[in-house]
Amino acid sequence: MSRYRLQPTPAQEAALLEHCGHARFVWNLAVEQHQHWKAGGASAPGFAEQCRQLTEARAEFAWLRAGSIIVQQQALKDFAQAMANFFGKTHRRPSWRKRGRGEGFRIVAVKAGDVRRLSRNVGEVKVPKVGWVRFRWSRNMPEGMKSYRITCDRAGRWHVAFAAIPKPIPAPGTGEVVGVDRGVCVSAALSTGELLSVPTYHGTEKVRLLRVLRKLARAQRGSKRRVKVKQAIARLKARESDRRKDRIEKTSTDLARRFDMIAIEDLQIRNMTRSAKGTLAEPGRNVRQKAGLNRAILAAGWGRLAVRLEHKAPGRVQTVNPRYTSQTCNACKHIARESRESQALFLCVACGHQDNADVNAAKNVRDTAAGHAVAARGSSPLGGPVNREPQRDLLLAR
Ligand SMILES: [Zn+2]
């Protein structure tokens, strides 16, 4: 995603707001439908059925027909994705959208000629039913751009974000499989023994961030000073996030180039985040530790790495059930919670094998994907069947 500041004329702004209104209307209609259907017990209409209903609604209402069908259909598509995220337990249930709050719409099937550069700092994007809208050409345009999203923030500033799916990287053809484990001590560990870290705030940045956060606490609500402090915070955060995204791009490209198959854990970040608050089986236990761990996980941008890997190495990413991968000895396959000496060290209680804990887990992830059943011997920490070779299908998440 590359975001640019959009500079619409007043007339264009009115037209953009109309698109936002249509997208919001369609989205809220979908939300209402799903709430209604939930009470009824039967399953709610899916994307295809909603599109059919949209066609009917457009035939009936002239004001809706006057808007862009792309904007309206994409709002339905966004809603379908939001529901999928909700069922996948990575996001909350989609809710009502209000005027003036996070407004926006998406345009797809964008052609190369729909964006042009006027000068060094000025570009133009063609918006259906609005025309050419200028934006500040503040960074390079991503290659292979297929869609964009236009948003208006609470301060009334317009942005356009172009989305590009990177071209797949050809496999090296070596037959090599790599396991990637989301680390506790490092951001990610590879089964090759490499440890990857994702940059966060530099020392001086951390100090500055803490300072502006204290300023924010003192700044009065609604004051000009508060707005300024908030902007300073946003700038610091944006710089950190740019750096993190950059590292994820480089890492995913590197992995796609070097290995034929990339095995990653299928952990649901959201689930782990929730459990820290104590809504799962063990309410509120180890909240402090977990909160720190969750922050680290989210900071490491694991989800983004997985998505980029799918883009760059389509069909070559294997997600693996993470069960026992951190407690299984990669040398003798013995499972014991006690083998995890510390966060950093794995020391097998059965054979004495010693390794970096995250690297040991990454090797188990690799072996599971390669078809060797992990968790074959030893007692199951969860009291499941003992000494049984688990089905490969059960270990593979999909
Ligand atoms: Zn062992």
Side-chain angles (χ1 to χ4, degrees):
M1 270 299 198
S2 313
R3 209 167 73 129
Y4 304 80
R5 183 74 181 269
L6 204 61
Q7 296 163 317
T9 63
Q12 286 176 335
E13 190 169 8
L16 292 175
L17 277 172
E18 200 139 297
H19 278 339
C20 289
H22 288 147
R24 187 178 63 236
F25 174 80
V26 169
W27 170 281
N28 284 342
L29 217 56
V31 170
E32 193 182 32
Q33 247 184 2
H34 273 247
Q35 281 174 347
H36 180 75
W37 250 269
K38 200 182 98 192
S43 69
F47 176 63
E49 169 62 13
Q50 284 180 330
C51 275
R52 202 188 54 74
Q53 290 170 1
L54 176 64
T55 309
E56 277 177 18
R58 277 172 67 90
E60 197 170 331
F61 303 110
W63 66 272
L64 203 57
R65 191 163 60 241
S68 157
I69 180 110
I70 299 180
V71 167
Q72 294 162 19
Q73 253 178 14
Q74 286 308 304
L76 284 179
K77 195 142 211 183
D78 286 350
F79 180 80
Q81 183 60 49
M83 283 309 283
N85 292 344
F86 168 64
F87 288 125
K89 293 186 178 157
T90 55
H91 291 71
R92 278 185 228 172
R93 178 182 277 279
S95 60
W96 293 87
R97 283 202 176 149
K98 293 195 186 91
R99 180 194 291 267
R101 269 221 216 151
E103 295 244 60
F105 59 90
R106 186 194 311 283
I107 300 294
V108 293
V110 178
K111 291 185 285 292
D114 290 350
V115 177
R116 62 190 184 196
R117 195 169 188 165
L118 298 180
S119 69
R120 211 168 84 84
N121 298 317
V122 183
E124 267 186 337
V125 59
K126 201 174 179 185
V127 183
K129 308 222 172 208
V130 179
W132 291 97
V133 183
R134 290 193 175 194
F135 65 86
R136 274 190 53 207
W137 196 289
S138 46
R139 55 175 84 180
N140 288 333
M141 191 63 61
E143 251 179 73
M145 189 262 297
K146 287 278 183 293
S147 72
Y148 62 81
R149 186 172 180 79
I150 287 180
T151 51
C152 181
D153 66 17
R154 283 196 201 199
R157 289 172 302 194
W158 291 90
H159 288 96
V160 57
F162 298 101
I165 292 179
K167 281 200 194 98
I169 294 167
T174 55
E176 251 193 281
V177 182
V178 68
V180 188
D181 180 63
R182 171 178 11 197
V184 174
C185 290
V186 290
S187 298
L190 305 187
S191 52
T192 57
E194 288 161 81
L195 303 175
L196 312 172
S197 67
V198 168
T200 54
Y201 295 100
H202 292 319
T204 49
E205 277 179 343
K206 213 177 270 173
V207 173
R208 274 183 61 200
L209 185 64
L210 286 174
R211 199 185 301 146
V212 282
L213 282 173
R214 269 200 303 274
K215 271 189 190 169
L216 182 70
R218 286 196 302 263
Q220 220 152 69
R221 278 183 174 278
S223 67
K224 269 190 184 157
R225 190 171 126 85
R226 196 181 167 87
V227 173
K228 272 199 175 157
V229 172
K230 274 195 164 176
Q231 277 169 354
I233 293 171
R235 270 199 302 275
L236 273 170
K237 287 194 168 167
R239 202 177 306 156
E240 186 270 340
S241 128
D242 274 357
R243 203 155 49 216
R244 184 152 35 95
K245 283 175 187 164
D246 191 53
R247 179 65 63 87
I248 287 167
E249 290 307 321
K250 288 198 171 109
T251 302
S252 52
T253 300
D254 180 53
L255 290 173
R257 248 187 221 143
R258 282 168 59 200
F259 303 97
D260 274 353
M261 183 68 84
I262 301 144
I264 57 174
E265 297 172 287
D266 186 27
L267 276 182
Q268 283 175 346
I269 301 171
R270 188 72 190 177
N271 278 356
M272 294 192 71
T273 316
R274 285 266 167 86
S275 67
K277 287 180 200 152
T279 49
L280 286 183
E282 292 175 35
R285 245 188 78 199
N286 295 333
V287 163
R288 279 309 314 155
Q289 278 157 286
K290 274 186 189 162
L293 172 61
N294 290 339
R295 260 202 302 279
I297 289 168
L298 294 172
W302 183 261
R304 192 179 173 86
L305 179 66
V307 168
R308 296 313 259 181
L309 281 173
E310 287 280 1
H311 286 158
K312 293 176 184 176
R316 298 196 282 129
V317 179
Q318 178 85 65
T319 52
V320 166
N321 187 329
R323 228 172 158 202
Y324 310 136
T325 48
S326 65
Q327 299 170 15
T328 305
C329 168
N330 187 256
C332 75
K333 311 297 178 204
H334 182 81
I335 306 172
R337 190 171 286 168
E338 300 73 42
S339 292
R340 186 121 194 188
E341 265 270 306
S342 65
Q343 292 284 46
L345 183 70
F346 187 92
L347 179 59
C348 179
V349 291
C351 77
H353 172 71
Q354 190 178 321
D355 204 345
N356 173 297
D358 294 326
V359 172
N360 178 70
K363 286 177 178 169
N364 288 331
V365 169
R366 174 198 63 196
D367 293 351
T368 307
H372 307 295
V374 167
R377 259 169 282 161
S379 61
S380 157
L382 295 181
V386 176
N387 293 333
R388 217 191 74 187
E389 188 84 9
Q391 302 284 310
R392 185 169 175 253
D393 296 7
L394 291 177
L395 285 166
L396 299 177
R398 75 185 160 83

